[in-house]
Amino acid sequence: MNRVLFIFLLGCINASLAQAQNISGVYTTEWQWDMKKNTNWVNQLRLDMSFPFGNGKDSFEAATLHVAKTDDTIIDDWQGFSNIEADNMFAAIAVLGFMHEWQSGHVFLGVRNVNEDFFASDVTSLFLNGSEGIFPTIAASYPIANYPFSGLTVYFDVTKGAWTFRNSLYNGVGYNGWKRRNNPFLVRPKKDGIFNISQLEYSHGGGRYFAGAAFHNRQFPIDEEGEMASAEDSRRHTTCAWWIYGEQTVWTAADRSIACMAQYSENTSHDNGCCRYAEVGCAYTDSSNECGLSAQYARFNQGTERSVELTWRRQINKTIALQPSFQYVNNDNGDFAVLCARMSVSF
């Protein structure tokens, strides 16, 4: 499938879905400044489509990502201070496949990104730091279907009462290209390996808690600069990353609330990209505002990184939100401060 054919198909789907109101999108623009002389401007557009058919329990799901920026990253951090920053790309596939829903769960078969189903919570989704989307014990250790990459996936979740169990099996390497040997439709277990992720969640009384584990049957060596080896240079060695997360509302009054969170993750191999990660944070929410403070610690193969983020999101109306964010980062490369100003437009 080449890019022109795929865009044509999406255009046809767009036209057929317009009356059903199953099309949505988010445009995010972010200005970044290292509080010295370097600046960057990142723009991301995500388009989502859902085409229900049959008895309404089945649907065709599709989502594309488009990114344009003016420069490379402006500080020498390892976690990534912006969760939308990526190389310039057009119409990368985030989701494309078949979803079946039943009373207590879902099954999906097709192309998917790990961030669609795992790691995100009410508190972590407020912050801009890249580790809020996926633990670096996974993201920095395996070249998986993590933003902006995707891969062929079999995903399911089951909910019973306050409990939810999720599981995904992926091709071991994620892709977002359009060439024959670089596209998200590849299934190459002998070369790329396989990657499986499981998570058990519990929600009750203003709290959300989950624990999970991810396994990869390849190990990807890391050099002194923290660069990950290619699939061709990987070793046949299974390693695991596990995590726990807790989020609890501690105060409420009318439409105002304060929630606290803590999370911890480890990788069983200290030769992988990141072997340990921890974070604590809190967030205040009312009808128009969200304010948050968080602190992260990550032990990478090349050293230790500590960071703090202070952010405030203001909902201007139903479609527009403004969000400034300040982050301080310390690692073996030095001390860095970065100020971001983000605007999101939903439609």
Side-chain angles (χ1 to χ4, degrees):
M1 176 180 288
N2 59 47
R3 186 184 304 208
V4 174
L5 176 59
F6 179 69
I7 295 172
F8 173 76
L9 290 174
L10 287 185
C12 295
I13 295 171
N14 263 333
S16 66
L17 292 179
Q19 294 181 348
Q21 297 182 351
N22 290 316
I23 303 173
S24 62
V26 178
Y27 167 66
T28 304
T29 182
E30 180 177 287
W31 175 78
Q32 305 167 349
W33 176 42
D34 70 350
M35 305 189 75
K36 294 179 181 178
K37 62 179 182 179
N38 297 314
T39 62
N40 192 16
W41 182 29
V42 182
N43 297 271
Q44 182 203 74
L45 174 65
R46 176 178 170 126
L47 300 174
D48 289 90
M49 293 165 284
S50 178
F51 179 24
F53 59 91
N55 59 4
K57 298 295 184 180
D58 300 319
S59 62
F60 175 81
E61 308 284 334
T64 58
L65 291 169
H66 315 256
V67 176
K69 63 179 183 177
T70 59
D71 206 345
D72 292 327
T73 185
I74 57 176
I75 65 171
D76 198 4
D77 65 328
W78 301 331
Q79 295 180 66
F81 66 87
S82 173
N83 54 15
I84 67 167
E85 187 162 344
D87 291 335
N88 292 333
M89 60 186 180
F90 174 70
I93 301 172
V95 178
L96 183 65
F98 167 77
M99 175 76 80
H100 173 71
E101 179 182 358
W102 71 94
Q103 185 175 1
S104 58
H106 303 81
V107 171
F108 176 88
L109 176 62
V111 171
R112 205 164 178 87
N113 182 297
V114 297
N115 300 285
E116 303 294 325
D117 309 297
F118 299 94
F119 311 113
S121 71
D122 290 341
V123 175
T124 59
S125 63
L126 169 63
F127 297 100
L128 272 57
N129 189 283
S131 293
E132 304 294 348
I134 181 173
F135 301 107
T137 51
I138 303 172
S141 298
Y142 311 112
I144 56 169
N146 175 41
Y147 174 85
F149 303 109
S150 298
L152 275 176
T153 306
V154 179
Y155 164 81
F156 74 88
D157 62 59
V158 179
T159 299
K160 186 174 182 179
W163 297 89
T164 298
F165 178 74
R166 307 176 187 271
N167 192 88
S168 276
L169 179 66
Y170 301 84
N171 182 62
V173 174
Y175 298 93
N176 71 350
W178 293 89
K179 297 181 180 178
R180 180 181 178 184
R181 298 182 180 180
N182 180 23
N183 69 80
F185 301 98
L186 298 175
V187 181
R188 304 190 297 191
K190 289 186 177 180
K191 180 179 179 181
D192 296 343
I194 57 174
F195 176 72
N196 189 84
I197 183 169
S198 304
Q199 184 169 284
L200 180 64
E201 304 176 6
Y202 176 74
S203 300
H204 180 72
R208 184 182 180 193
Y209 306 87
F210 55 74
F215 296 85
H216 204 302
N217 71 340
R218 292 287 193 280
Q219 185 169 24
F220 299 83
I222 305 294
D223 64 22
E224 294 180 354
E225 300 298 324
E227 295 296 324
M228 189 184 304
S230 65
E232 289 81 359
D233 297 323
S234 64
R235 300 193 292 259
R236 292 180 177 271
H237 177 57
T238 299
T239 60
C240 167
W242 60 268
W243 60 91
I244 54 174
Y245 175 87
E247 176 182 305
Q248 181 65 53
T249 300
V250 296
W251 176 80
T252 59
D255 64 346
R256 298 170 293 167
S257 66
I258 295 177
C260 295
M261 61 81 74
Q263 54 187 350
Y264 181 80
S265 177
E266 282 195 9
N267 195 295
T268 56
S269 174
H270 286 204
D271 293 328
N272 281 340
C274 179
C275 64
R276 186 175 297 113
Y277 174 75
E279 180 185 7
V280 294
C282 63
Y284 164 84
T285 304
D286 61 31
S287 59
S288 301
N289 301 280
E290 294 179 84
C291 304
L293 175 66
S294 71
Q296 302 93 23
Y297 164 90
R299 178 61 182 175
F300 288 87
N301 187 276
Q302 68 271 28
T304 298
E305 182 170 271
R306 301 171 180 85
S307 58
V308 176
E309 179 176 358
L310 176 65
T311 190
W312 168 40
R313 180 190 293 157
R314 172 73 175 181
Q315 195 70 39
I316 304 301
N317 53 39
K318 291 183 178 180
T319 62
I320 300 176
L322 300 179
Q323 182 174 4
S325 172
F326 170 80
Q327 295 183 56
Y328 168 78
V329 180
N330 167 264
N331 59 33
D332 291 354
N333 295 327
D335 297 302
F336 307 96
V338 61
L339 182 65
C340 299
R342 175 179 291 190
M343 180 178 72
S344 299
V345 181
S346 303
F347 54 92

